[in-house]
Amino acid sequence: MTPALALDAIDKSFDGFRALDQARFVANAGEIHALLGENGAGKSTLMNVACGLYTPDSGTMRLFGAPTRLSGPRDAAAHGIGMVHQHFKLVRPFSILENVLLSRPPAAGDGAPYSRQARSVAQAIAAKAELLGAKVDPRARVDSLSIAEQQRVEVIKALVAGARILILDEPTAVLTDQEAERLLQTLRRLARDGATIVLVTHKLADVKRFADTVTIMRGGKTVAELDPSQASIEELTRLTVGDALPALPNEQPHFGRRRLEALDLTVRRADGAPAVDRVSFFVRAGEIYGLAGVSGNGQSELAELLMGVRTPDSGLIQFEDSGEAFSAPRPAALRSDGAAFIPADRYRFALAGALSVTDNFAIAGLRRGRYGGWAWTNIGRMRAETKEAIRAFDVQGVRSLAQKAALLSGGNAQKLVIAREFSDAPGVVVAQSPSRGLDARATAAVHARLKAAADRGAAVLLVSDDLDEVLKLSNRVGVMASGRLAAEFEQPFDRQEVGRAMVTHG
């Protein structure tokens, strides 16, 4: 049988980081082929190569046996490849019909009036919706649809464009159990009709129940291809997360009182589904509590709650230093209680890109009166301390202290944020993916700062998609799955047990 899609020896690097290393992937028509791996394993990158978003540095691609080099997503669609991304590519104020029309502009020489094109596409939408066992109103606005309905629109959009190979990236991550079941049954029907379905996922239960073949990636490499019905959950977990880490000495460090506590925190998405579902945990003085989980399971929303940039629907956040429980915490109030924040989205939540490097570093100190009062500001001290922080934290690319922060690269912007947040001795640190975008030396320095903060008595919450980072730094680990705290672990950690909790719950 000639494979529908074959990728061989694919290499892809970004700014010196090798995301794909001789990766390979082969999928046949009429099958559901699962692509399994941890966060950062290279799954999405490989499929972005397959759908034309990325051009590989080297390697070959064959579609139905023919050597192919794609010039972009539109070229991929012309070759019969459609991809439903984890973050949908829909224009929310537009109707379903308008979104589908945008994805398939008329061919050259097609002079049909817009009304005739629209009628034709509306009929195609209805036909594909019926194929999926659903009824769809092409005139409905996307922003009036639930997450599951928006995902269905993405599938319909790909099918109307003629997709014979359909790639879905983490399609059940934001769906309820019932919605996920309906989607996977629909994909099974499409495969029976001859389509090639590629299911990028982390959920082993979905792989076991619905996939005909599974390819497993780790560290940008393809490590296995097998029949999931012939492999146990334990074997799939081991291949996905690697061998268990050596057991650490079972030391029992002394921790102080609870300095940060979450009590039944709940936050709902726009469609009403819970993103964080009654989560409770605590972090003690001197402790690093790691929060692990596959992306999209509520970690980001929880971190935003604790940073005061999102309001919970219910629940409380307790800080020991003030004794106050916040139902709707404000960043200023949390900072007054000695909290420091390292958000994952540094440009949105941590930096004012239009302001200077000095202003971005000194802003927290200005609020505390470190550089004077409202009537007089010690600009010289601000500049001197910014310059020293840039040196100490190796922030590259700063040509002038007056330079806009937006001109820094992602890694150097992160270094500036970390320098500011550790400029004092915080009592609570909430760090989300703190080493993202940093090289090995900078990552080691960030880890050392987090450990030093805990050694001084701070309560450190580490939220990270990088399981190695969580296991290396944490005294305790909680696992988020489907918005819930699915499991907690004490040292010594068993990597496979933690990985199993990440991929088998929810």
Side-chain angles (χ1 to χ4, degrees), residues 5 33 56 59 62 96 117 149 205 230 252 269 275 303 307 320 346-347 353 356 445 453 501:
L5 171 64
H33 194 126
R62 289 178 177 269
I96 295 172
Q117 295 174 34
E149 289 170 330
Q230 302 300 311
Q252 296 296 328
R269 298 189 177 94
M307 294 178 191
E320 182 214 39
R346 60 187 74 103
Y347 290 112
S356 70

Side-chain angles (χ1 to χ4, degrees), residues 4-313:
L5 171 64
L7 299 164
D8 186 51
I10 302 295
D11 288 337
K12 183 64 179 177
S13 296
F14 299 95
D15 296 328
F17 170 72
R18 199 166 190 177
L20 295 176
D21 185 359
Q22 296 288 292
R24 66 184 188 279
F25 181 83
V26 178
N28 297 311
E31 75 170 0
I32 295 181
H33 194 126
L35 184 55
L36 190 65
E38 282 189 283
N39 295 312
K43 312 184 299 297
S44 296
T45 302
L46 185 61
M47 289 302 101
N48 281 331
V49 168
C51 75
L53 273 175
Y54 295 158
T55 300
D57 299 330
S58 61
T60 60
M61 176 178 181
R62 289 178 177 269
L63 292 175
F64 304 99
T68 306
R69 187 172 182 83
L70 301 175
S71 60
R74 187 168 295 176
D75 191 21
H79 281 83
I81 301 173
M83 185 165 179
V84 178
H85 296 267
Q86 185 174 3
H87 303 291
F88 305 147
K89 308 297 184 182
L90 298 172
V91 183
R92 291 176 57 83
F94 283 16
S95 70
I96 295 172
L97 175 60
E98 289 166 334
N99 272 276
V100 176
L101 283 167
L102 277 175
S103 71
R104 55 185 307 276
D110 183 359
Y114 174 82
S115 59
R116 189 186 306 169
Q117 295 174 34
R119 283 196 301 271
S120 174
V121 172
Q123 291 169 359
I125 291 171
K128 297 305 182 185
E130 185 177 354
L131 178 66
L132 301 180
K135 288 186 177 181
V136 170
D137 179 4
R139 298 166 298 179
R141 279 174 48 133
V142 165
D143 54 12
S144 71
L145 304 178
S146 69
I147 294 296
E149 289 170 330
Q150 291 180 39
Q151 187 175 67
R152 189 180 300 127
V153 171
E154 287 279 30
V155 174
I156 290 171
K157 187 171 71 172
L159 295 177
V160 169
R164 293 178 290 165
I165 299 170
L166 186 61
I167 304 167
L168 298 99
D169 190 2
E170 299 288 0
T172 62
V174 295
L175 302 182
T176 65
D177 291 345
Q178 294 79 8
E179 290 168 341
E181 179 74 16
R182 284 195 294 271
L183 172 67
L184 292 167
Q185 293 289 359
T186 297
L187 298 178
R188 170 55 63 201
R189 289 199 302 272
L190 291 174
R192 282 199 297 265
D193 290 339
T196 302
I197 306 298
V198 180
L199 192 66
V200 182
T201 186
H202 68 274
K203 294 191 175 182
L204 298 185
D206 292 348
V207 172
K208 291 285 288 179
R209 287 191 60 205
F210 291 96
D212 302 296
T213 308
V214 59
T215 293
I216 300 173
M217 296 186 69
R218 192 168 67 242
K221 299 179 180 180
T222 302
V223 298
E225 179 184 302
L226 46 86
D227 180 348
S229 67
Q230 302 300 311
S232 65
I233 291 288
E234 289 71 23
E235 175 68 5
L236 292 174
T237 301
R238 185 186 66 78
L239 289 168
T240 301
V241 303
D243 294 325
L245 294 175
L248 298 173
N250 192 15
E251 299 178 0
Q252 296 296 328
H254 174 72
F255 302 122
R257 298 177 61 186
R258 300 180 182 185
R259 301 197 75 165
L260 169 64
E261 190 164 7
L263 304 168
D264 286 325
L265 287 177
T266 297
V267 64
R268 297 188 178 277
R269 298 189 177 94
D271 66 347
V276 177
D277 191 2
R278 298 174 307 228
V279 169
S280 297
F281 65 91
F282 60 86
V283 190
R284 294 166 291 190
E287 180 179 35
I288 299 179
Y289 183 90
L291 204 57
V294 175
S295 294
N297 279 270
Q299 307 97 296
S300 292
E301 290 86 351
L302 181 59
E304 290 171 10
L305 288 177
L306 297 170
M307 294 178 191
V309 297
R310 185 185 287 265
T311 301
D313 291 295

